[in-house]
Amino acid sequence: MNRLILLICLSFIVISAKAEEPVLKPEIKGGVIKGIVMDNAMDIPVEYATVSVYNMADSSLIDGTITDEKGAFELAKMKPGKYFVEITFIGYNKAIVRNIPIDRNRNLADLKIVNLRQASEALNEVVVTSERAPVQYQIDKKVIPVSRQITAASGTAVDVLENVPSVSVDIEGNVSLRGNSNFTVLVDGKPSILDASDILQQMPASVIENIEIITNPSAKYDPEGTAGIINIITKKNTGKGLNGVANLSMGSQENRSGDILINYRKKKWNWNLGLDYRNRQFEGTTKTENRTIYEGITSSVLSDGGAKMKFLGYGIRTGFDFDIDSKNQISFGFRYGNRDMERGSVLDYQEFDSNDPERILYDSEDLWEKEMTFVNSNFSYTRKFSGKGHQLASQVTYSHRGSGDEQSTNELFDANGNQTSGKIATEDGPGTRWEIRSDYTLPLGKDAKFELGYQGQIRSSEADTKQEDYVVGTGYKPQPLYSHDVTYDQQVHGLYTTYASKIGKFGYQLGFRSEYTNREIDFKDESEIFTIKRWDFFPTIHTQMDLGSDNQLMASYTRRIQRPRGYWLEPFVTWTDAYNVRQGNPDLNPEYIDSYELAYSKRFGDQSVTFETYYKVTHNKIESVRYPWEEQGNVMKSTSVNVGNDYSLGMEATINLSFGKWFKNDLIGNFYHYKEEGDFTLTNSSDEDIYKDFSTKSYNWSLRNNSTIIFDPKTRVQFTANYQSETNWAQGKRKGFFTTSAALKRDFMKRRLSATFQVRDIFGTAKHETLYEGDNFYNFSRFSHKSPTFNLKLSFKINNYKMKRERGSEGGVDVEEFEM
């Protein structure tokens, strides 16, 4: 493995060494490209917008400037040729002006007014294409710009996802993609050693440019994750010179955060540096009621009290891009972070049973802590060949997670404050992940494209678990029965190919992927090794029909896989608190998913409507099964089992409306029917097999609405409302909930500074209630946030350039430089 990485790096060095040095040419007078950039909604000039000009033939960067106080820009000394101009500004939509000719007959290209707007508009002999809409639909994904969601401005990626189509977020921040929590999270298309939930909780919304929702990924993507992929695209300021943005946030319940992203571009180099800090916590009250029946005796445990969750994290990221020449580019990225998570509660308990109804009163103090450091780095090389889009891109990604010390402490005290019992469970162990991929793209004519690639993943981790029990009079004593050491090693090697083409207004993409999995779990305590060696195959089909007048029809089919997570496979009992244990199942088979989608989209200028129908079948469905643990009658045990198949059939609608320049509204609705058909078998203490049915069906729906009111060019207000219906499971249900938020945003200092004030869960209606029940148990829990919560975010744009003309040192060539 190390030799392979060394070989790749040496190849990059050789390529760099052979790159030709740029040849300086005499100064020429050339042509001029000029225009004025206007805010479409406010009808005012956009000052300090970044204007970059590129060559149409190979998309290479030629020059750049920024707009003045009147929104005007001018790019001079343009050689004969065809160009396109890209206009960007933080908080605005990107616009592209294509096919700009400069020749002897036309040495002045006046673009006149360029509006940063969401629709497409003909402009003289060129076309202005706005790349951002409330939701942009592509043949295999949905792209959502984060800048529209000011109610999530000071939050994390989880807060942004609350208002994204196809995604649901409950009050505790748990994310699901069309009702399924098994999905893959990528950052800029790259994997991470972190779990999906950890990535979403720690990624500040202020550093996110777009979020891509890929419910039916093509064969080019890793097929892991039953529900699909959430790809987070981070901000990359690409203007020449120095630019960036800094954010500071302060809120109730001691919430505070800050981050800064700086980018510097000069000639062939582009360098960035980012820092972020986040202290996020929330408080609430919790209530539980648990009943178990064992040998005819009903045991009841009731609890009530307060709970608090805390998340503290910081990180640094840096990277660079270097254009060796017009055909070769290398890039490097590095990120280091630390995460410190804590969840604690102080509860009053009542315990009794049917033989003795007298209630035993005691208190419980629970504390779960996890501290973790992580490193992500990647190195990539891109080689462009003749012809637009013809290239080979290779990438090596390395991720490392530190020991990840995790400790769970549960202590019980009697009415006099004396400790009667307690458990301390710890788990630590590092993890590493390597990914090597290479993607070759070959355009075949104007509308056809062929892709071929390899992706290899090598993962390893270790889990060292220990437990100590409290003994009255002697303190905590180690428990060898619940202390274990397990290592996980997994390699997945995949080859894929796709072919995309267009026949008239009908576009299609066919894909096929094959993967080989080699997994080994070494349970050192019992000297057992569980291995899997298997080939899997994944076909994909995507189609798109342009019906004219901004009408689109899209259909797709994909096959995906969900491999069991590490802790699902641990073949031993682990205590999670005084009344719950879990045990893994190393014989679990992966889930296989067949997914079908049909979507229709219609644009009406700045408005749009989209309907999506979907049908998904999951084979070898993995469920967490709960039942009373016979060794201790009032303790619940959970384990993971392949129970059968499940089916989801639903429709999702997104309506984006604009009423004049002062009011915009986004409405998202999802309705689906869920059915699960399965069973499992338990073996009791008498070695008797007990058959359990695990079937259920239900209708589920959700409705979300975002309304934005624009009072004046500098002030806007946004209201959001979100309702999630009750959802049934085979062993219980989650009750429905409703929540509302509001935000006020005001710009200052010619839009360089903005302030956003947010209020979340305005009416305190966001309660999380779950219920599990079976033949011999009943578990109810409810958590209520302390609400409403308040937050103030300040954002400062570091892009106040001033143009400066200097005499360069290279052959007397004039060099345009930009500085703050």
Side-chain angles (χ1 to χ4, degrees):
M1 179 64 201
N2 292 331
R3 292 180 180 178
L4 176 60
I5 297 168
L6 179 60
L7 179 61
I8 294 173
C9 294
L10 289 174
S11 300
F12 293 153
I13 294 173
V14 172
I15 293 171
S16 301
K18 292 184 177 181
E20 296 183 358
E21 293 295 327
V23 178
L24 296 175
K25 296 184 178 180
E27 179 180 353
I28 63 173
K29 185 175 181 180
V32 175
I33 300 175
K34 69 177 184 177
I36 298 175
V37 180
M38 299 290 290
D39 182 316
N40 178 64
M42 316 296 182
D43 196 27
I44 59 174
V46 179
E47 186 182 3
Y48 304 126
T50 301
V51 182
S52 304
V53 61
Y54 297 85
N55 192 311
M56 280 292 295
D58 57 8
S59 299
S60 59
L61 178 66
I62 302 300
D63 201 354
T65 185
I66 52 98
T67 57
D68 60 21
E69 68 276 4
K70 296 180 180 180
F73 66 91
E74 182 174 304
L75 294 154
K77 299 183 180 180
M78 303 301 300
K79 300 177 183 178
K82 276 195 173 183
Y83 303 94
F84 70 90
V85 168
E86 183 179 274
I87 302 172
T88 60
F89 188 64
I90 298 173
Y92 280 83
N93 299 334
K94 181 189 295 183
I96 293 181
V97 183
R98 300 187 183 278
N99 298 317
I100 306 173
I102 294 292
D103 52 41
R104 293 182 177 179
N105 298 324
R106 181 174 178 177
N107 60 5
L108 173 62
D110 187 355
L111 306 185
K112 300 187 184 300
I113 303 298
V114 180
N115 288 304
L116 295 182
R117 53 176 297 162
Q118 298 169 11
S120 298
E121 174 181 311
L123 185 63
N124 293 339
E125 298 181 9
V126 296
V127 176
V128 180
T129 303
S130 174
E131 294 189 343
R132 286 193 183 181
V135 181
Q136 180 185 356
Y137 290 86
Q138 300 180 9
I139 193 169
D140 60 351
K141 60 189 173 185
K142 294 188 284 284
V143 182
I144 295 94
V146 173
S147 59
R148 289 176 59 92
Q149 301 188 28
I150 64 174
T151 58
S154 63
T156 65
V158 171
D159 301 308
V160 175
L161 291 171
E162 287 182 353
N163 302 299
V164 167
S166 306
V167 179
S168 299
V169 181
D170 68 21
I171 192 59
E172 291 186 335
N174 300 308
V175 178
S176 60
L177 191 56
R178 284 187 175 158
N180 195 323
S181 60
N182 295 326
F183 54 86
T184 300
V185 172
L186 303 177
V187 179
D188 294 323
K190 304 177 183 67
S192 172
I193 194 68
L194 300 179
D195 292 335
S197 59
D198 291 337
I199 298 173
L200 298 176
Q201 288 284 355
Q202 62 89 14
M203 180 69 69
S206 53
V207 305
I208 303 174
E209 181 79 12
N210 294 325
I211 290 183
E212 297 178 349
I213 304 299
I214 312 173
T215 52
N216 254 11
S218 70
K220 184 176 181 178
Y221 293 94
D222 181 359
E224 184 79 22
T226 60
I229 297 171
I230 296 177
N231 187 21
I232 299 174
I233 307 299
T234 58
K235 291 179 179 177
K236 301 173 187 66
N237 298 320
T238 57
K240 290 181 65 176
L242 183 69
N243 60 93
V245 62
N247 301 285
L248 179 64
S249 177
M250 300 157 287
S252 57
Q253 300 183 32
E254 300 182 29
N255 283 277
R256 54 190 179 273
S257 65
D259 62 82
I260 184 171
L261 174 62
I262 297 176
N263 193 93
Y264 180 72
R265 176 181 288 275
K266 185 174 183 180
K267 296 183 179 180
K268 296 184 177 183
W269 285 92
N270 182 55
W271 175 80
N272 63 78
L273 174 67
L275 302 170
D276 62 83
Y277 167 82
R278 179 163 299 277
N279 185 343
R280 186 177 187 181
Q281 52 189 315
F282 55 88
E283 304 174 20
T285 59
T286 181
K287 182 177 181 179
T288 66
E289 180 180 348
N290 300 311
R291 294 195 301 268
T292 56
I293 302 174
Y294 181 65
E295 295 183 348
I297 300 176
T298 301
S299 300
S300 300
V301 179
L302 311 178
S303 72
D304 192 2
K308 186 175 183 178
M309 300 183 186
K310 182 179 180 180
F311 177 90
L312 177 63
Y314 60 85
I316 179 173
R317 59 190 175 110
T318 187
F320 69 84
D321 302 313
F322 176 63
D323 297 324
I324 301 173
D325 53 35
S326 61
K327 301 293 185 181
N328 299 278
Q329 182 190 63
I330 61 173
S331 64
F332 173 77
F334 175 84
R335 179 174 177 81
Y336 169 83
N338 179 274
R339 300 291 174 259
D340 188 358
M341 294 162 280
E342 183 178 299
R343 182 174 63 245
S345 63
V346 178
L347 306 176
D348 296 325
Y349 271 86
Q350 303 178 44
E351 186 174 344
F352 56 95
D353 58 50
S354 55
N355 281 354
D356 185 5
E358 183 177 352
R359 305 197 174 199
I360 302 174
L361 305 180
Y362 55 92
D363 297 327
S364 170
E365 295 183 6
D366 300 288
L367 179 62
W368 173 85
E369 299 173 289
K370 184 175 183 179
E371 184 176 3
M372 175 180 63
T373 60
F374 66 90
V375 172
N376 285 92
S377 60
N378 63 83
F379 185 82
S380 63
Y381 165 70
T382 301
R383 166 67 179 177
K384 295 181 180 179
F385 304 98
S386 299
K388 186 177 181 180
H390 187 193
Q391 67 175 35
L392 174 66
S394 299
Q395 177 180 282
V396 177
T397 302
Y398 170 74
S399 302
H400 176 76
R401 182 189 66 224
S403 60
D405 296 334
E406 181 177 345
Q407 178 172 301
S408 178
T409 304
N410 176 254
E411 296 178 330
L412 304 181
F413 300 86
D414 62 22
N416 297 320
N418 300 315
Q419 184 171 351
T420 58
S421 65
K423 295 181 185 297
I424 299 178
T426 60
E427 179 175 349
D428 57 54
T432 60
R433 172 173 178 160
W434 286 93
E435 179 176 299
I436 303 172
R437 67 177 302 149
S438 187
D439 304 291
Y440 174 71
T441 304
L442 174 64
L444 300 172
K446 180 180 179 181
D447 298 319
K449 182 176 66 174
F450 171 78
E451 292 179 300
L452 177 69
Y454 161 80
Q455 181 179 12
Q457 298 180 20
I458 302 173
R459 307 178 66 172
S460 63
S461 62
E462 183 175 353
D464 184 10
T465 61
K466 294 182 173 60
Q467 181 173 310
E468 298 179 359
D469 285 1
Y470 181 79
V471 179
V472 177
T474 59
Y476 284 94
K477 298 294 182 181
Q479 300 295 312
L481 181 63
Y482 302 115
S483 300
H484 310 280
D485 191 2
V486 184
T487 59
Y488 306 88
D489 293 287
Q490 177 174 285
Q491 296 186 27
V492 179
H493 301 277
L495 292 171
Y496 79 87
T497 181
T498 68
Y499 175 76
S501 186
K502 190 174 183 181
I503 303 174
K505 295 184 177 181
F506 176 74
Y508 64 91
Q509 182 188 80
L510 307 177
F512 184 79
R513 186 183 185 103
S514 62
E515 288 193 343
Y516 175 72
T517 302
N518 184 355
R519 190 195 73 193
E520 182 177 287
I521 303 173
D522 187 357
F523 185 25
K524 296 183 179 181
D525 303 59
E526 304 294 335
S527 299
E528 291 184 89
I529 297 179
F530 303 91
T531 61
I532 286 180
K533 296 183 179 182
R534 179 184 58 245
W535 280 96
D536 293 305
F537 304 95
F538 307 96
T540 65
I541 302 173
H542 292 80
T543 62
Q544 186 175 35
M545 175 71 78
D546 184 2
L547 303 177
S549 301
D550 289 326
N551 285 269
Q552 283 185 324
L553 186 66
M554 295 156 283
S556 61
Y557 161 77
T558 65
R559 180 172 171 82
R560 298 187 58 73
I561 188 173
Q562 175 64 55
R563 297 178 178 90
R565 299 179 182 178
Y567 66 89
W568 293 357
L569 304 169
E570 297 173 345
F572 49 80
V573 171
T574 301
W575 286 83
T576 57
D577 58 42
Y579 299 101
N580 292 278
V581 299
R582 74 165 187 259
Q583 182 173 9
N585 178 7
D587 296 323
L588 279 179
N589 292 315
E591 297 178 341
Y592 294 96
I593 305 93
D594 292 309
S595 179
Y596 307 81
E597 291 189 3
L598 177 65
Y600 169 76
S601 177
K602 169 65 177 174
R603 292 291 301 273
F604 306 89
D606 290 343
Q607 305 177 101
S608 66
V609 59
T610 302
F611 296 97
E612 297 179 76
T613 60
Y614 55 91
Y615 178 63
K616 186 173 294 185
V617 182
T618 303
H619 309 273
N620 299 334
K621 176 66 176 178
I622 299 175
E623 287 281 12
S624 179
V625 177
R626 300 164 64 95
Y627 53 91
W629 193 23
E630 293 187 352
E631 295 187 19
Q632 298 191 40
N634 61 350
V635 174
M636 295 297 298
K637 184 178 182 179
S638 63
T639 189
S640 298
V641 181
N642 293 112
V643 298
N645 299 334
D646 74 359
Y647 311 84
S648 296
L649 175 63
M651 173 177 284
E652 187 171 56
T654 303
I655 302 174
N656 307 115
L657 301 177
S658 179
F659 301 94
K661 296 183 178 180
W662 66 276
F663 185 73
K664 300 181 184 298
N665 195 84
D666 303 329
L667 179 65
I668 305 169
N670 184 29
F671 176 84
Y672 68 97
H673 178 260
Y674 178 78
K675 181 175 69 172
E676 185 171 20
E677 296 177 345
D679 58 70
F680 65 97
T681 302
L682 294 177
T683 302
N684 62 19
S685 58
S686 303
D687 291 330
E688 297 176 345
D689 290 340
I690 303 175
Y691 171 84
K692 297 286 186 181
D693 180 62
F694 210 85
S695 300
T696 187
K697 59 182 179 180
S698 63
Y699 290 95
N700 310 278
W701 63 281
S702 64
L703 190 65
R704 283 169 284 174
N705 190 81
N706 293 353
S707 298
T708 303
I709 302 173
I710 303 171
F711 288 102
D712 57 49
K714 297 181 179 180
T715 310
R716 60 183 58 195
V717 173
Q718 187 174 90
F719 299 93
T720 65
N722 183 0
Y723 177 77
Q724 298 286 332
S725 72
E726 182 173 281
T727 300
N728 290 339
W729 305 315
Q731 287 189 306
K733 60 183 177 181
R734 186 210 66 206
K735 293 190 176 182
F737 66 91
F738 174 73
T739 182
T740 54
S741 301
L744 169 65
K745 183 177 181 180
R746 174 75 177 178
D747 294 326
F748 305 91
M749 299 171 60
K750 297 183 179 180
R751 296 181 181 270
R752 292 169 56 195
L753 176 67
S754 65
T756 305
F757 179 71
Q758 302 166 257
V759 185
R760 300 178 63 83
D761 192 17
I762 299 173
F763 304 107
T765 55
K767 294 181 173 61
H768 184 68
E769 295 180 311
T770 59
L771 173 65
Y772 294 90
E773 59 183 336
D775 296 337
N776 49 5
F777 71 92
Y778 172 90
N779 305 141
F780 169 81
S781 67
R782 180 177 66 200
F783 179 79
S784 301
H785 277 294
K786 182 181 179 181
S787 57
T789 59
F790 305 91
N791 194 282
L792 176 63
K793 177 197 170 186
L794 301 177
S795 180
F796 182 76
K797 301 174 182 64
I798 311 171
N799 58 352
N800 186 15
Y801 308 117
K802 293 182 179 179
M803 188 182 299
K804 176 182 175 183
R805 306 271 312 171
E806 291 185 353
R807 176 66 56 184
S809 61
E810 301 177 10
V813 177
D814 282 343
V815 179
E816 286 189 346
E817 293 188 357
F818 301 87
E819 61 184 15
M820 291 179 58

